[in-house]
Amino acid sequence: MGEFTLELNDDQKQVRDWLHGFAADVMRPAAAEWDEREETPWPIIQEAAKIGIYSLDFYAQQFFDPTGLGIPMAMEELFWGDAGIALSIVGTGLAAVGVLANGTEEQIGTWVPQMYGDANDVKVAAFCSSEPDAGSDVASMRTRAVYDQATDEWVLNGTKTWATNGGIANVHVVVAVVDPELGSKGHASFIVPPNTPGLSQGQKFQKHGIRASHTAEVVLEDVRVPGHCLLGGKEKLDERLARAREKARAGGGERVKNAAMATFEASRPAVGAMAVGTARAAYEVALDYARTRVQFGRPIIENQGVAFQLADMATQIDAARLLVWRASWMATAGKPFTAAEGSMSKLYASEVAKKVTAQAIQILGGNGYTREYPVERMHRDAAIYTIFEGTSEIQRMVISRAIAK
């Protein structure tokens, strides 16, 4: 029987400790400032780039970790530091995953490096899928991409919303409708290169949490991109659309995934790991506070009502981490999510993050409600995990459909 272990190897532990040091020494001291400023923390991103955390090489190494645990381990440590700053550091990764999931080798080699820039000139990228009237309901997407055969260009028109790094990105990855009659199966992804005319930033959102991460609308007005900017290429797109049309005529059949869903499926366990990091951070603050806060002559952790809350928090965080690790390992091992294991990990971890951060505030009492302690910010940050990249309700729908088959 082969060896089974959940213990990180020495290399993974070394990376984990390195990331933890950066999160503790660089991110946490700056977290409150950038939360208040509600701006992209470019100096922190540059610091991350200088030591190799914000780089294509680093994320590639974690992505290709044969155990599958490289990415979730990295996400947990960075989001333990601060969710808003961490999202500014890793937000480019969603666009990169969009290219990795749908692009050719040449497209991956050309565009992904341009998403990061280098330590002296850092860049960011944006993945643009959601729209004002089409968030979870991707079939209602209105942004259109029309092929101009005379110039071998695609012309994009529409408005995207909730785009991390939207408008400030060097490279935008945009999901658009190429065949409206096919619904979500008629979508494709496009690279919009730097400084392409017609792309502009719309409204920048003032958010409840993750304030250090830039979120905005992206407006596309007759944006022309070369034919080679269609991810996967036109031949592959034409073949996929032909299959979808044939299935539609036959009345259903094989499911054809669209470009946005392929990206989200690949990233859901990573989002779960982000939630675990935030939950763990809040739990540790609450635990330390309960050990040192004295009321009625003894530390409050000696009160069963507080101690049991902390016990539940610790158990739920560990359970969430194990679901994330399982899904990450399955994805790396090429095992299909037959029971929607990716959605399970994202659903449970995000709900745990909301619950644990709220309990942390309760344990700190009035202090927890003030900005003097970080749990108030952590609770605001945690709310996003049950919303972005598929709400908790959408995850439950995906899971229920999977187990009903």
Side-chain angles (χ1 to χ4, degrees):
M1 180 180 293
E3 181 183 0
F4 173 78
T5 180
L6 286 172
E7 184 177 7
L8 300 177
N9 60 42
D10 290 341
D11 289 342
Q12 291 169 326
K13 289 178 182 177
Q14 185 176 7
V15 172
R16 179 198 62 191
D17 294 344
W18 173 54
L19 291 170
H20 188 82
F22 178 81
D25 299 338
V26 180
M27 296 172 66
R28 280 207 167 178
E33 174 189 351
W34 290 101
D35 178 70
E36 291 288 343
R37 291 175 64 168
E38 297 192 53
E39 297 174 358
T40 300
W42 291 108
I44 310 297
I45 299 174
Q46 189 161 29
E47 285 297 312
K50 285 180 179 178
I51 64 172
I53 292 175
Y54 186 76
S55 70
L56 173 60
D57 287 345
F58 172 72
Y59 289 106
Q61 289 173 12
Q62 304 316 308
F63 184 81
F64 290 111
D65 181 331
T67 69
L69 301 185
I71 290 294
M73 179 188 66
M75 294 301 104
E76 180 177 337
E77 292 305 325
L78 291 174
F79 280 75
W80 172 90
D82 178 69
I85 294 176
L87 193 56
S88 286
I89 293 174
V90 308
T92 293
L94 185 58
V97 169
V99 177
L100 291 168
N102 302 295
T104 64
E105 290 186 8
E106 182 178 357
Q107 289 170 331
I108 293 169
T110 299
W111 296 110
V112 175
Q114 294 187 46
M115 294 179 173
Y116 290 93
D118 57 48
N120 297 317
D121 185 21
V122 295
K123 305 292 185 183
V124 295
F127 183 75
C128 307
S129 176
S130 293
E131 297 184 1
D133 297 318
S136 298
D137 182 12
V138 294
S140 297
M141 189 177 294
R142 295 180 181 178
T143 297
R144 291 292 307 276
V146 178
Y147 183 60
D148 186 340
Q149 190 169 1
T151 60
D152 186 27
E153 291 177 318
W154 289 88
V155 184
L156 278 62
N157 282 282
T159 299
K160 294 296 182 178
T161 194
W162 309 123
T164 298
N165 298 328
I168 67 171
N170 192 48
V171 176
H172 290 76
V173 178
V174 177
V175 182
V177 179
V178 294
D179 188 334
E181 294 182 1
L182 293 177
S184 62
K185 297 178 178 65
H187 296 175
S189 289
F190 299 85
I191 291 285
V192 180
N195 304 314
T196 299
L199 184 147
S200 62
Q201 179 182 308
Q203 176 187 4
K204 177 186 175 183
F205 295 104
Q206 306 298 307
K207 303 188 299 296
H208 175 65
I210 55 167
R211 294 178 179 178
S213 174
H214 176 96
T215 310
E217 290 182 331
V218 174
V219 180
L220 304 139
E221 297 179 307
D222 291 329
V223 173
R224 287 182 168 268
V225 299
H228 61 76
C229 287
L230 166 64
L231 290 180
K234 194 169 187 305
E235 182 178 347
K236 183 177 179 181
L237 172 65
D238 289 342
E239 292 175 356
R240 178 166 63 82
L241 294 178
R243 291 198 305 271
R245 294 185 190 106
E246 181 62 29
K247 296 299 179 183
R249 284 192 294 268
E254 180 185 355
R255 177 173 175 255
V256 181
K257 293 180 182 178
N258 66 68
M261 291 301 100
T263 300
F264 291 141
E265 284 185 12
S267 63
R268 278 171 182 156
V271 176
M274 298 173 188
V276 171
T278 299
R280 189 184 112 211
Y283 161 74
E284 290 176 2
V285 172
L287 178 62
D288 182 65
Y289 186 88
R291 287 169 171 167
T292 57
R293 174 69 167 175
V294 175
Q295 291 285 280
F296 304 105
R298 60 180 182 176
I300 62 173
I301 198 171
E302 294 183 14
N303 296 314
Q304 192 176 81
V306 173
F308 279 16
Q309 281 193 74
L310 289 163
D312 285 343
M313 292 158 74
T315 301
Q316 290 161 1
I317 291 167
D318 272 8
R321 182 184 296 110
L322 289 172
L323 281 171
V324 167
W325 282 18
R326 179 184 69 168
S328 301
W329 169 78
M330 288 178 67
T332 298
K335 297 184 179 296
F337 291 159
T338 55
E341 289 86 352
S343 288
M344 284 183 180
S345 69
K346 198 267 187 185
L347 169 65
Y348 188 74
S350 61
E351 294 289 344
V352 164
K354 281 186 66 176
K355 183 177 181 180
V356 165
T357 54
Q359 287 177 304
I361 291 176
Q362 193 69 24
I363 289 171
L364 269 66
N367 286 328
Y369 199 67
T370 70
R371 294 188 182 182
E372 182 180 354
Y373 288 81
V375 291
E376 174 271 339
R377 184 180 68 251
M378 293 169 182
H379 184 51
R380 286 190 285 107
D381 291 340
I384 194 60
Y385 300 127
T386 63
I387 298 171
F388 72 174
E389 294 197 51
T391 63
S392 288
E393 290 74 22
I394 289 295
Q395 305 308 327
R396 291 185 174 98
M397 182 178 70
V398 172
I399 296 165
S400 64
R401 287 178 176 175
I403 63 177
K405 291 180 180 178

